[in-house]
Amino acid sequence: MQPLKKIHEPELAGPFPPDMHDVRHLWLKGGLLLAWALVSFVAAYFARDLQAFVVAGWPLGHWIAAQGAVLMFIAIVVVYCWAMNRFERQDAARMAALTIERAPSHG
């Protein structure tokens, strides 16, 4: 009986890059997730209590249900994009400074 040949299995992708688990990224994701949960669940839970407040002729609960959650989601995406761009610029500046620092001096 011949031994079974090992079939070449494709290599699985390695772990996520360590910079995606940076503390700044985790705090950003956690904060935005908390904001999403508050708008989605807490505001919906108190929607009946918010009906007493009227904005532009409509109860506040209607505005939050019809528009607020969607606008908040868009705001979360915009904040996430802005913050990640800022983090990338900071990381690029830090890497450039390290590169310059490590470069051999010619003199």
Side-chain angles (χ1 to χ4, degrees):
M1 188 136 191
Q2 294 179 356
L4 294 174
K5 292 182 181 178
K6 185 175 181 180
I7 299 173
H8 178 70
E9 296 177 12
E11 291 185 31
L12 298 175
F16 290 111
D19 60 342
M20 292 307 292
H21 293 295
D22 187 2
V23 174
R24 300 173 299 165
H25 298 132
L26 295 176
W27 276 106
L28 174 67
K29 292 173 188 176
L32 294 177
L33 184 62
L34 178 65
W36 170 79
L38 288 174
V39 169
S40 297
F41 298 112
V42 175
Y45 183 77
F46 290 108
R48 287 189 184 182
D49 298 333
L50 297 174
Q51 298 292 36
F53 302 103
V54 176
V55 177
W58 292 87
L60 185 60
H62 169 77
W63 284 109
I64 290 176
Q67 308 297 332
V70 174
L71 293 175
M72 188 62 180
F73 179 73
I74 292 170
I76 286 171
V77 171
V78 168
V79 168
Y80 181 78
C81 291
W82 174 82
M84 291 303 287
N85 283 333
R86 184 169 183 239
F87 292 159
E88 287 177 2
R89 283 193 306 269
Q90 289 173 347
D91 292 342
R94 189 176 302 122
M95 288 303 291
L98 286 174
T99 304
I100 292 172
E101 187 177 292
R102 291 182 183 172
S105 60
H106 299 288

